[in-house]
Coordinates of all heavy atoms in Angstrom, one line a residue:
M206 N -11.8 11.8 1.4 CA -13.0 12.6 1.4 C -13.6 12.6 2.8 O -13.6 11.6 3.5 CB -14.0 11.9 0.4 CG -15.3 12.7 0.2 SD -16.3 12.1 -1.2 CE -16.8 10.5 -0.6
A207 N -14.1 13.8 3.2 CA -14.6 13.9 4.5 C -15.9 13.1 4.7 O -16.7 13.0 3.8 CB -14.9 15.4 4.8
K208 N -16.1 12.6 5.9 CA -17.3 11.8 6.2 C -18.5 12.8 6.2 O -18.4 13.9 6.8 CB -17.2 11.2 7.6 CG -18.3 10.1 7.8 CD -18.0 9.4 9.1 CE -19.0 8.3 9.3 NZ -18.7 7.5 10.5
P209 N -19.6 12.4 5.6 CA -20.8 13.3 5.5 C -21.4 13.5 6.9 O -21.3 12.7 7.8 CB -21.8 12.6 4.6 CG -21.3 11.1 4.7 CD -19.9 11.1 4.9
A210 N -21.9 14.7 7.1 CA -22.6 15.0 8.3 C -23.8 14.2 8.6 O -24.5 13.7 7.7 CB -23.0 16.5 8.3
K211 N -24.1 13.8 9.8 CA -25.2 13.1 10.2 C -26.5 14.0 10.1 O -26.4 15.2 10.2 CB -25.1 12.5 11.6 CG -24.1 11.4 11.7 CD -24.0 10.8 13.0 CE -23.0 9.7 13.1 NZ -22.9 9.1 14.4
P212 N -27.6 13.3 9.9 CA -28.8 14.1 9.8 C -29.2 14.8 11.1 O -28.7 14.4 12.1 CB -29.9 13.1 9.4 CG -29.4 11.8 9.7 CD -27.9 11.9 9.7
P213 N -29.9 15.9 11.0 CA -30.3 16.6 12.3 C -31.0 15.6 13.2 O -31.8 14.8 12.8 CB -31.2 17.7 11.8 CG -30.9 17.9 10.4 CD -30.5 16.5 9.8
I214 N -30.6 15.8 14.5 CA -31.1 14.8 15.5 C -32.7 14.9 15.6 O -33.3 13.9 15.8 CB -30.5 15.1 16.9 CG1 -30.7 13.9 17.8 CG2 -30.9 16.4 17.5 CD1 -30.1 12.6 17.4
D215 N -33.3 16.1 15.4 CA -34.7 16.1 15.5 C -35.4 15.3 14.4 O -36.5 14.8 14.6 CB -35.2 17.6 15.5 CG -34.8 18.3 14.2 OD1 -33.8 17.9 13.6 OD2 -35.5 19.3 13.9
R216 N -34.7 15.2 13.3 CA -35.3 14.4 12.2 C -35.2 12.9 12.5 O -36.1 12.2 12.1 CB -34.5 14.7 10.9 CG -35.1 14.1 9.7 CD -34.7 14.9 8.4 NE -33.3 14.9 8.1 CZ -32.7 13.9 7.5 NH1 -33.4 12.8 7.1 NH2 -31.4 13.9 7.2
I217 N -34.2 12.5 13.2 CA -34.0 11.1 13.6 C -35.0 10.7 14.7 O -35.6 9.7 14.6 CB -32.6 10.9 14.1 CG1 -31.6 11.2 13.0 CG2 -32.5 9.5 14.6 CD1 -31.7 10.2 11.8
I218 N -35.2 11.6 15.6 CA -36.0 11.2 16.8 C -37.4 11.0 16.5 O -38.1 10.2 17.1 CB -35.8 12.3 17.9 CG1 -34.4 12.2 18.5 CG2 -36.8 12.1 19.0 CD1 -34.1 13.3 19.4
K219 N -37.9 11.6 15.4 CA -39.3 11.5 15.1 C -39.6 10.1 14.4 O -39.9 10.0 13.3 CB -39.7 12.6 14.1 CG -39.8 14.0 14.8 CD -40.1 15.1 13.9 CE -40.0 16.4 14.6 NZ -40.2 17.6 13.7
S220 N -39.4 9.1 15.2 CA -39.7 7.7 14.8 C -39.1 7.3 13.5 O -39.6 6.5 12.8 CB -41.2 7.6 14.7 OG -41.8 7.9 15.9
G221 N -37.9 7.9 13.2 CA -37.3 7.5 12.0 C -37.8 8.1 10.7 O -37.3 7.8 9.7
L222 N -38.8 8.9 10.8 CA -39.4 9.5 9.6 C -38.4 10.6 9.2 O -37.8 11.3 9.9 CB -40.7 10.1 9.9 CG -41.9 9.1 10.2 CD1 -43.1 9.8 10.7 CD2 -42.2 8.3 8.9
V223 N -38.4 10.8 7.9 CA -37.6 11.9 7.3 C -38.5 12.9 6.7 O -39.5 12.5 6.0 CB -36.5 11.3 6.3 CG1 -35.5 10.5 7.0 CG2 -37.2 10.5 5.2
S224 N -38.1 14.1 6.9 CA -39.0 15.2 6.3 C -38.6 15.5 4.9 O -39.4 16.0 4.1 CB -38.8 16.4 7.2 OG -37.5 16.8 7.2
K225 N -37.4 15.1 4.5 CA -37.0 15.2 3.1 C -36.0 14.1 2.8 O -35.5 13.5 3.8 CB -36.3 16.6 2.8 CG -35.2 16.9 3.7 CD -34.7 18.3 3.5 CE -33.6 18.6 4.4 NZ -33.1 20.0 4.2
P226 N -35.8 13.7 1.6 CA -35.0 12.5 1.3 C -33.7 12.4 2.1 O -33.5 11.5 2.9 CB -34.7 12.6 -0.2 CG -35.9 13.3 -0.7 CD -36.3 14.3 0.4
A227 N -32.8 13.4 2.0 CA -31.5 13.4 2.7 C -30.6 14.4 2.1 O -30.9 14.9 1.0 CB -30.9 12.0 2.6
A228 N -29.6 14.7 2.8 CA -28.6 15.5 2.2 C -27.9 14.8 1.1 O -27.6 13.6 1.2 CB -27.5 15.9 3.3
P229 N -27.6 15.5 0.0 CA -27.1 14.8 -1.2 C -25.7 14.1 -0.9 O -25.5 13.0 -1.4 CB -26.8 16.0 -2.2 CG -27.8 17.0 -1.8 CD -27.9 16.9 -0.3
Q230 N -24.9 14.7 0.0 CA -23.6 14.1 0.3 C -23.7 12.8 1.0 O -22.8 12.1 1.2 CB -22.7 15.1 1.0 CG -23.2 15.4 2.4 CD -24.1 16.6 2.5 OE1 -24.8 16.9 1.5 NE2 -24.1 17.3 3.6
A231 N -24.9 12.5 1.6 CA -25.1 11.3 2.4 C -25.3 10.1 1.4 O -25.2 9.0 1.9 CB -26.3 11.4 3.3
E232 N -25.5 10.3 0.2 CA -25.7 9.2 -0.8 C -26.7 8.2 -0.3 O -26.4 7.0 -0.1 CB -24.4 8.6 -1.1 CG -23.4 9.5 -1.7 CD -22.0 8.9 -1.9 OE1 -21.9 7.6 -1.7 OE2 -21.1 9.6 -2.2
P233 N -27.9 8.6 0.0 CA -28.9 7.6 0.5 C -29.3 6.6 -0.6 O -29.2 6.8 -1.8 CB -30.1 8.5 0.8 CG -30.0 9.6 -0.2 CD -28.5 9.9 -0.3
H234 N -29.5 5.4 -0.1 CA -29.9 4.3 -1.0 C -31.4 3.9 -0.6 O -31.7 3.4 0.4 CB -29.0 3.1 -0.7 CG -29.4 1.9 -1.6 ND1 -29.2 1.9 -2.9 CD2 -30.1 0.8 -1.3 CE1 -29.7 0.7 -3.4 NE2 -30.2 0.0 -2.4
F235 N -32.3 4.3 -1.5 CA -33.7 4.0 -1.3 C -34.0 2.6 -1.6 O -33.7 2.1 -2.6 CB -34.6 4.9 -2.2 CG -34.6 6.4 -1.7 CD1 -33.5 7.2 -2.1 CD2 -35.6 6.9 -1.0 CE1 -33.5 8.5 -1.7 CE2 -35.6 8.2 -0.5 CZ -34.5 9.0 -0.9
A236 N -34.6 1.9 -0.6 CA -34.9 0.5 -0.8 C -36.3 0.2 -0.3 O -36.6 -0.5 0.6 CB -33.9 -0.3 0.1
G237 N -37.3 0.8 -1.0 CA -38.7 0.6 -0.7 C -39.0 1.1 0.7 O -39.1 2.3 0.8
K238 N -39.2 0.3 1.6 CA -39.7 0.7 2.9 C -38.6 1.4 3.7 O -39.0 2.2 4.7 CB -40.1 -0.5 3.8 CG -41.4 -1.2 3.2 CD -41.8 -2.4 4.1 CE -43.1 -2.9 3.6 NZ -43.6 -4.1 4.3
L239 N -37.4 1.2 3.4 CA -36.3 1.8 4.2 C -35.4 2.6 3.3 O -35.3 2.5 2.1 CB -35.5 0.7 4.9 CG -36.3 -0.3 5.8 CD1 -35.3 -1.4 6.3 CD2 -36.9 0.4 6.9
I240 N -34.6 3.5 4.0 CA -33.6 4.3 3.3 C -32.3 4.0 4.1 O -32.2 4.1 5.3 CB -33.9 5.8 3.3 CG1 -35.2 6.1 2.7 CG2 -32.8 6.6 2.6 CD1 -35.7 7.5 2.8
F241 N -31.3 3.6 3.3 CA -30.0 3.3 3.9 C -29.0 4.4 3.6 O -29.1 5.0 2.5 CB -29.4 2.0 3.4 CG -30.3 0.8 3.7 CD1 -31.3 0.4 2.9 CD2 -30.0 0.0 4.8 CE1 -32.1 -0.7 3.2 CE2 -30.7 -1.1 5.1 CZ -31.8 -1.5 4.3
F242 N -28.1 4.7 4.5 CA -27.1 5.7 4.3 C -25.7 5.0 4.5 O -25.2 5.0 5.6 CB -27.2 6.8 5.4 CG -28.5 7.6 5.2 CD1 -29.7 7.2 5.8 CD2 -28.5 8.8 4.5 CE1 -30.8 7.9 5.7 CE2 -29.7 9.5 4.3 CZ -30.9 9.1 4.9
P243 N -25.3 4.4 3.4 CA -24.0 3.6 3.5 C -22.8 4.5 4.0 O -21.9 3.9 4.6 CB -23.8 3.2 2.0 CG -25.1 3.3 1.4 CD -25.9 4.4 2.1
G244 N -22.9 5.8 3.8 CA -21.8 6.6 4.2 C -21.6 6.7 5.7 O -20.6 7.0 6.3
W245 N -22.7 6.4 6.4 CA -22.7 6.4 7.9 C -22.6 5.0 8.5 O -22.5 4.9 9.7 CB -24.0 7.1 8.4 CG -24.1 8.5 8.0 CD1 -23.1 9.4 7.8 CD2 -25.3 9.2 7.6 NE1 -23.5 10.6 7.3 CE2 -24.9 10.5 7.2 CE3 -26.6 8.9 7.6 CZ2 -25.8 11.5 6.8 CZ3 -27.5 9.8 7.2 CH2 -27.1 11.1 6.8
C246 N -22.8 4.0 7.7 CA -22.9 2.6 8.2 C -21.5 2.1 8.5 O -20.6 2.2 7.6 CB -23.5 1.7 7.2 SG -23.5 0.0 7.6
K247 N -21.3 1.6 9.7 CA -20.0 1.0 10.0 C -20.0 -0.5 9.9 O -19.1 -1.2 10.4 CB -19.5 1.4 11.4 CG -20.5 1.0 12.5 CD -20.0 1.7 13.8 CE -21.0 1.4 15.0 NZ -20.7 2.2 16.1
K248 N -21.1 -1.1 9.4 CA -21.1 -2.5 9.0 C -21.0 -3.4 10.3 O -20.4 -4.4 10.2 CB -20.1 -2.8 8.0 CG -20.1 -2.0 6.8 CD -18.9 -2.2 5.9 CE -19.0 -1.3 4.6 NZ -19.1 0.1 4.8
C249 N -21.7 -2.9 11.4 CA -21.6 -3.7 12.6 C -22.5 -4.9 12.6 O -22.4 -5.8 13.4 CB -21.9 -2.8 13.8 SG -23.6 -2.2 13.8
G250 N -23.6 -4.8 11.8 CA -24.5 -6.0 11.7 C -25.6 -6.0 12.7 O -26.5 -6.9 12.7
L251 N -25.7 -5.0 13.6 CA -26.7 -5.0 14.6 C -28.1 -5.0 14.0 O -29.0 -5.6 14.5 CB -26.5 -3.8 15.5 CG -25.4 -3.9 16.6 CD1 -25.2 -2.5 17.3 CD2 -25.7 -5.0 17.5
C252 N -28.3 -4.2 13.0 CA -29.6 -4.1 12.4 C -30.1 -5.4 11.9 O -31.3 -5.8 12.0 CB -29.6 -3.0 11.3 SG -28.4 -3.3 10.0
T253 N -29.2 -6.2 11.3 CA -29.6 -7.5 10.7 C -29.9 -8.4 11.8 O -30.9 -9.2 11.7 CB -28.5 -8.0 9.8 OG1 -28.1 -7.0 8.9 CG2 -28.9 -9.3 9.1
V254 N -29.2 -8.3 12.9 CA -29.4 -9.2 14.1 C -30.7 -9.0 14.7 O -31.5 -9.9 15.1 CB -28.3 -9.1 15.1 CG1 -28.6 -9.8 16.4 CG2 -27.0 -9.6 14.5
V255 N -31.1 -7.7 14.9 CA -32.4 -7.4 15.6 C -33.6 -7.6 14.7 O -34.7 -7.7 15.3 CB -32.4 -6.0 16.2 CG1 -31.2 -5.8 17.2 CG2 -32.3 -5.0 15.1
C256 N -33.4 -7.7 13.4 CA -34.6 -7.8 12.6 C -35.3 -9.2 12.8 O -34.7 -10.2 12.6 CB -34.2 -7.7 11.1 SG -35.6 -7.9 10.0
H257 N -36.5 -9.2 13.3 CA -37.2 -10.4 13.7 C -37.7 -11.2 12.5 O -38.0 -12.4 12.7 CB -38.4 -10.0 14.6 CG -39.4 -9.2 13.9 ND1 -40.5 -9.7 13.3 CD2 -39.4 -7.9 13.7 CE1 -41.2 -8.7 12.7 NE2 -40.5 -7.6 13.0
S258 N -37.8 -10.6 11.4 CA -38.4 -11.3 10.2 C -37.4 -11.7 9.1 O -37.8 -12.1 8.1 CB -39.4 -10.3 9.6 OG -38.8 -9.2 9.1
E259 N -36.1 -11.4 9.4 CA -35.1 -11.7 8.4 C -35.3 -11.0 7.1 O -35.0 -11.5 6.0 CB -35.0 -13.3 8.2 CG -34.6 -14.0 9.4 CD -34.5 -15.5 9.2 OE1 -34.9 -16.0 8.1 OE2 -33.9 -16.2 10.1
A260 N -35.8 -9.8 7.2 CA -36.0 -9.0 6.0 C -34.7 -8.4 5.6 O -34.5 -8.1 4.4 CB -37.0 -7.9 6.3
L261 N -33.8 -8.2 6.5 CA -32.5 -7.6 6.2 C -31.5 -8.7 6.0 O -31.4 -9.7 6.7 CB -32.1 -6.7 7.4 CG -32.8 -5.4 7.6 CD1 -32.2 -4.6 8.7 CD2 -32.8 -4.5 6.3
K262 N -30.6 -8.4 5.1 CA -29.4 -9.2 4.9 C -28.2 -8.3 4.7 O -28.4 -7.1 4.6 CB -29.6 -10.2 3.7 CG -30.6 -11.2 3.9 CD -30.6 -12.2 2.8 CE -31.7 -13.3 3.1 NZ -31.8 -14.3 2.0
Q263 N -27.0 -8.9 4.7 CA -25.8 -8.1 4.6 C -25.0 -8.5 3.3 O -24.9 -9.7 3.0 CB -24.9 -8.3 5.8 CG -25.4 -7.6 7.1 CD -24.5 -7.9 8.3 OE1 -24.7 -9.0 8.9 NE2 -23.6 -7.1 8.6
H264 N -24.5 -7.5 2.7 CA -23.6 -7.8 1.6 C -22.3 -8.4 2.2 O -22.1 -8.4 3.4 CB -23.2 -6.5 0.9 CG -24.3 -5.8 0.1 ND1 -24.9 -6.4 -1.0 CD2 -25.0 -4.7 0.3 CE1 -25.9 -5.7 -1.4 NE2 -26.0 -4.6 -0.7
K265 N -21.4 -8.9 1.3 CA -20.2 -9.5 1.8 C -19.4 -8.5 2.7 O -18.7 -8.9 3.6 CB -19.4 -10.0 0.6 CG -20.0 -11.3 0.1 CD -19.1 -11.8 -1.1 CE -19.8 -13.1 -1.7 NZ -19.1 -13.5 -2.9
D266 N -19.5 -7.2 2.3 CA -18.7 -6.2 3.1 C -19.4 -5.8 4.4 O -18.9 -5.0 5.1 CB -18.4 -5.0 2.2 CG -19.6 -4.2 2.0 OD1 -20.7 -4.5 2.3 OD2 -19.4 -3.1 1.4
G267 N -20.6 -6.4 4.7 CA -21.3 -6.1 5.9 C -22.4 -5.0 5.8 O -23.2 -4.8 6.7
T268 N -22.5 -4.4 4.6 CA -23.5 -3.4 4.4 C -24.9 -4.0 4.4 O -25.1 -5.0 3.6 CB -23.3 -2.6 3.1 OG1 -21.9 -2.1 3.1 CG2 -24.3 -1.5 3.0
P269 N -25.8 -3.6 5.1 CA -27.2 -4.2 5.1 C -28.0 -3.8 3.9 O -27.8 -2.7 3.4 CB -27.8 -3.7 6.4 CG -27.2 -2.4 6.6 CD -25.8 -2.5 6.1
Y270 N -28.9 -4.6 3.5 CA -29.9 -4.3 2.5 C -31.2 -5.0 2.8 O -31.3 -6.0 3.5 CB -29.3 -4.6 1.1 CG -29.2 -6.1 0.8 CD1 -30.2 -6.8 0.1 CD2 -28.0 -6.7 1.2 CE1 -30.0 -8.1 -0.1 CE2 -27.8 -8.1 0.9 CZ -28.8 -8.8 0.3 OH -28.7 -10.1 0.0
L271 N -32.3 -4.4 2.2 CA -33.6 -5.0 2.4 C -33.8 -6.1 1.4 O -34.1 -5.8 0.2 CB -34.6 -3.9 2.3 CG -36.1 -4.3 2.6 CD1 -36.2 -4.8 4.1 CD2 -37.0 -3.1 2.4
A272 N -33.6 -7.3 1.8 CA -33.7 -8.4 0.9 C -35.1 -8.8 0.6 O -35.4 -9.3 -0.5 CB -33.0 -9.6 1.5
D273 N -36.0 -8.6 1.5 CA -37.4 -9.0 1.2 C -38.3 -8.0 1.9 O -38.6 -8.1 3.1 CB -37.7 -10.4 1.8 CG -39.0 -11.0 1.3 OD1 -39.9 -10.2 0.9 OD2 -39.2 -12.2 1.3
A274 N -38.8 -7.0 1.2 CA -39.7 -6.0 1.8 C -41.0 -6.5 2.3 O -41.5 -6.0 3.2 CB -39.9 -4.9 0.7
K275 N -41.4 -7.6 1.8 CA -42.7 -8.2 2.2 C -42.6 -8.7 3.7 O -43.6 -8.7 4.4 CB -43.2 -9.4 1.3 CG -43.6 -8.9 -0.1 CD -44.1 -10.0 -1.0 CE -43.0 -11.0 -1.4 NZ -41.9 -10.4 -2.2
K276 N -41.4 -9.1 4.0 CA -41.2 -9.6 5.4 C -41.0 -8.4 6.4 O -41.2 -8.6 7.6 CB -39.9 -10.5 5.5 CG -40.0 -11.8 4.8 CD -38.8 -12.6 4.9 CE -38.9 -14.0 4.3 NZ -37.6 -14.7 4.4
C277 N -40.7 -7.3 5.9 CA -40.5 -6.1 6.8 C -41.8 -5.6 7.3 O -42.7 -5.3 6.6 CB -39.8 -5.0 6.1 SG -39.6 -3.5 7.1
T278 N -42.0 -5.6 8.6 CA -43.2 -5.2 9.3 C -43.1 -3.7 9.7 O -44.0 -3.2 10.4 CB -43.5 -6.0 10.5 OG1 -42.4 -5.9 11.4 CG2 -43.7 -7.5 10.1
L279 N -42.0 -3.1 9.4 CA -41.8 -1.7 9.8 C -41.8 -1.6 11.3 O -42.4 -0.6 11.9 CB -42.8 -0.7 9.1 CG -42.6 -0.5 7.7 CD1 -43.7 0.4 7.1 CD2 -41.2 0.1 7.4
C280 N -41.3 -2.6 12.0 CA -41.3 -2.6 13.5 C -40.5 -1.5 14.1 O -40.6 -1.2 15.3 CB -40.9 -4.0 13.9 SG -39.1 -4.3 13.7
S281 N -39.5 -1.0 13.3 CA -38.6 0.1 13.7 C -37.4 -0.4 14.4 O -36.5 0.5 14.8 CB -39.4 1.1 14.5 OG -39.5 0.8 15.9
L282 N -37.3 -1.7 14.7 CA -36.1 -2.1 15.5 C -34.8 -1.8 14.8 O -33.8 -1.3 15.5 CB -36.2 -3.6 15.7 CG -37.1 -4.1 16.9 CD1 -37.1 -5.6 16.9 CD2 -36.5 -3.5 18.2
C283 N -34.7 -1.9 13.5 CA -33.4 -1.7 12.9 C -33.0 -0.3 13.0 O -31.8 0.0 13.3 CB -33.4 -2.2 11.4 SG -34.7 -1.5 10.4
W284 N -33.9 0.7 12.6 CA -33.5 2.1 12.7 C -33.3 2.6 14.1 O -32.6 3.5 14.3 CB -34.3 2.9 11.8 CG -35.7 3.2 12.2 CD1 -36.1 4.0 13.2 CD2 -36.9 2.7 11.6 NE1 -37.5 4.1 13.2 CE2 -38.0 3.3 12.2 CE3 -37.2 1.8 10.5 CZ2 -39.3 3.0 11.9 CZ3 -38.5 1.6 10.1 CH2 -39.5 2.1 10.8
R285 N -34.0 2.0 15.0 CA -33.9 2.5 16.4 C -32.6 1.9 17.0 O -32.1 2.4 18.0 CB -35.1 2.1 17.3 CG -36.3 2.9 16.9 CD -37.5 2.4 17.7 NE -38.7 3.0 17.3 CZ -39.2 4.2 17.7 NH1 -38.4 4.9 18.6 NH2 -40.3 4.7 17.3
T286 N -32.1 0.7 16.5 CA -30.9 0.1 17.0 C -29.7 0.7 16.4 O -28.6 0.7 17.1 CB -31.0 -1.4 16.7 OG1 -32.2 -2.0 17.4 CG2 -29.8 -2.1 17.3
C287 N -29.7 1.1 15.2 CA -28.5 1.5 14.5 C -27.8 2.7 15.3 O -28.4 3.7 15.5 CB -28.8 2.0 13.1 SG -27.4 2.6 12.3
P288 N -26.6 2.4 15.7 CA -25.9 3.5 16.5 C -25.5 4.7 15.6 O -25.1 5.7 16.2 CB -24.7 2.8 17.1 CG -24.5 1.6 16.1 CD -25.8 1.2 15.6
D289 N -25.6 4.5 14.3 CA -25.1 5.6 13.4 C -26.2 6.2 12.6 O -25.9 7.0 11.7 CB -24.0 5.0 12.5 CG -22.8 4.7 13.3 OD1 -21.9 5.6 13.5 OD2 -22.6 3.6 13.8
F290 N -27.4 6.0 12.9 CA -28.6 6.5 12.2 C -28.5 6.3 10.7 O -28.8 7.1 9.9 CB -28.6 8.1 12.5 CG -28.7 8.4 13.9 CD1 -27.7 9.3 14.5 CD2 -29.7 7.9 14.8 CE1 -27.7 9.6 15.8 CE2 -29.7 8.2 16.1 CZ -28.7 9.1 16.6
A291 N -28.0 5.1 10.4 CA -27.8 4.8 8.9 C -29.0 4.2 8.3 O -28.9 3.9 7.1 CB -26.5 3.9 8.8
I292 N -30.1 4.0 9.0 CA -31.3 3.5 8.4 C -32.4 4.3 8.9 O -32.5 4.7 10.1 CB -31.6 2.0 8.8 CG1 -30.4 1.1 8.5 CG2 -32.9 1.5 8.1 CD1 -30.7 -0.3 8.9
V293 N -33.3 4.7 8.0 CA -34.6 5.4 8.4 C -35.7 4.8 7.6 O -35.5 4.2 6.6 CB -34.5 6.9 8.2 CG1 -33.5 7.6 9.1 CG2 -34.2 7.2 6.8
K294 N -36.9 5.0 8.2 CA -38.1 4.6 7.4 C -38.3 5.5 6.2 O -38.1 6.7 6.3 CB -39.3 4.7 8.4 CG -40.6 4.3 7.7 CD -41.8 4.5 8.7 CE -43.1 4.3 8.0 NZ -44.2 4.6 8.9
N295 N -38.7 4.9 5.1 CA -39.0 5.7 3.9 C -40.4 6.2 4.0 O -41.3 5.3 3.9 CB -38.7 4.9 2.7 CG -38.9 5.6 1.4 OD1 -39.3 6.8 1.4 ND2 -38.6 5.0 0.3
P296 N -40.7 7.4 4.1 CA -42.1 7.9 4.2 C -42.8 7.7 2.9 O -44.1 7.8 2.9 CB -41.9 9.4 4.6 CG -40.6 9.8 4.1 CD -39.7 8.5 4.2
D297 N -42.1 7.5 1.9 CA -42.8 7.3 0.6 C -42.8 5.9 0.1 O -42.8 5.6 -1.1 CB -42.1 8.2 -0.5 CG -42.2 9.6 -0.1 OD1 -43.3 10.1 0.4 OD2 -41.2 10.4 -0.3
E298 N -42.6 5.0 1.1 CA -42.4 3.6 0.7 C -43.5 3.0 -0.1 O -44.7 3.3 0.1 CB -42.2 2.7 1.9 CG -43.4 2.6 2.8 CD -44.2 1.3 2.5 OE1 -43.7 0.5 1.7 OE2 -45.2 1.2 3.1
K299 N -43.1 2.1 -1.0 CA -44.1 1.4 -1.9 C -44.0 -0.1 -1.7 O -44.7 -0.9 -2.3 CB -43.9 1.7 -3.3 CG -43.9 3.2 -3.6 CD -45.2 3.6 -4.2 CE -45.2 5.1 -4.7 NZ -44.5 6.0 -3.9
G300 N -43.1 -0.5 -0.8 CA -42.9 -1.9 -0.5 C -42.0 -2.7 -1.4 O -42.0 -3.9 -1.3
E301 N -41.2 -2.0 -2.2 CA -40.4 -2.8 -3.1 C -39.2 -3.4 -2.3 O -38.7 -2.9 -1.3 CB -39.8 -1.9 -4.2 CG -40.8 -1.3 -5.1 CD -41.3 0.1 -4.7 OE1 -41.0 0.4 -3.5 OE2 -41.9 0.7 -5.5
D302 N -38.6 -4.5 -2.9 CA -37.4 -5.1 -2.4 C -36.3 -4.2 -2.8 O -36.4 -3.3 -3.7 CB -37.2 -6.5 -2.9 CG -38.2 -7.4 -2.4 OD1 -38.9 -7.1 -1.4 OD2 -38.2 -8.5 -2.9
D303 N -35.2 -4.4 -2.1 CA -34.0 -3.6 -2.4 C -33.5 -4.0 -3.8 O -33.1 -3.2 -4.6 CB -32.9 -4.0 -1.4 CG -31.7 -3.1 -1.5 OD1 -31.4 -2.7 -2.6 OD2 -31.0 -2.9 -0.5
G304 N -33.5 -5.3 -4.1 CA -33.1 -5.8 -5.4 C -31.6 -6.0 -5.5 O -31.1 -6.5 -6.5
A305 N -30.9 -5.7 -4.4 CA -29.4 -5.9 -4.4 C -29.1 -7.2 -3.7 O -29.7 -7.6 -2.7 CB -28.7 -4.8 -3.7
E306 N -28.2 -7.9 -4.3 CA -27.8 -9.2 -3.7 C -26.4 -9.0 -3.1 O -25.6 -8.2 -3.5 CB -27.8 -10.3 -4.7 CG -29.2 -10.7 -5.1 CD -30.0 -11.3 -4.0 OE1 -29.4 -11.8 -3.1 OE2 -31.2 -11.2 -4.1
Ligands
SF4_83 S1 -38.3 -2.4 10.4 FE1 -38.3 -4.3 11.6 S2 -38.9 -5.9 10.2 FE2 -38.3 -4.1 8.9 S3 -36.2 -4.5 8.4 FE3 -36.2 -3.2 10.2 S4 -36.1 -4.7 11.9 FE4 -36.7 -5.8 10.1
SF4_84 S1 -26.8 -1.2 12.7 FE1 -26.4 0.7 11.4 S2 -24.1 0.8 11.4 FE2 -24.6 -1.3 12.0 S3 -24.7 -2.4 10.0 FE3 -26.8 -1.7 10.5 S4 -27.0 0.2 9.3 FE4 -24.8 -0.2 9.5

């Protein structure tokens, strides 16, 4: 299956905000404050390393998830660090945890 196209660069540059949820083929994973795009994630772990509050954790395969939304300060480090634009801020966030272990 072909790798999904990345979101338009102008949408990324605007501080990680998204103007609409995402292209359907990107299979976004809404996790409260953040939106993850597993299809673009190369599981490098950079986002988890730069997170100052340990709000992010990684699944065994390296995919990050928001383990504790209360710890997330929306500092923007994770989505600004991700080389693949695989994390963005959720403009409709309600602060829920990812719920995935
Ligand atoms: S926005 Fe900041 S605090 Fe929240 S998960 Fe990303 S790096 Fe951690
Ligand atoms: S920095 Fe981006 S590509 Fe790397 S693990 Fe995090 S979401 Fe995936």
Side-chain angles (χ1 to χ4, degrees):
M206 187 167 65
K208 193 172 183 179
K211 290 185 178 178
I214 194 67
D215 59 336
R216 185 156 66 82
I217 296 296
I218 289 175
K219 291 176 182 172
S220 300
L222 291 172
V223 290
S224 56
K225 55 185 178 180
Q230 69 271 26
E232 300 174 11
H234 177 74
F235 288 82
K238 292 180 175 179
L239 304 176
I240 302 173
F241 296 86
F242 295 85
W245 299 324
C246 174
K247 60 187 174 193
K248 306 170 179 56
C249 66
L251 283 174
C252 54
T253 308
V254 169
V255 298
C256 180
H257 62 94
S258 63
E259 300 183 343
L261 290 181
K262 291 188 178 176
Q263 288 175 275
H264 293 294
K265 285 181 181 173
D266 71 353
T268 306
Y270 65 97
L271 187 60
D273 190 342
K275 291 183 292 298
K276 290 183 178 177
C277 175
T278 61
L279 289 175
C280 70
S281 82
L282 277 175
C283 57
W284 70 74
R285 290 178 186 275
T286 300
C287 177
D289 291 271
F290 307 123
I292 304 177
V293 293
K294 176 183 177 183
N295 184 356
D297 300 320
E298 68 93 4
K299 307 256 187 322
E301 296 95 344
D302 289 346
D303 190 330
E306 292 295 336

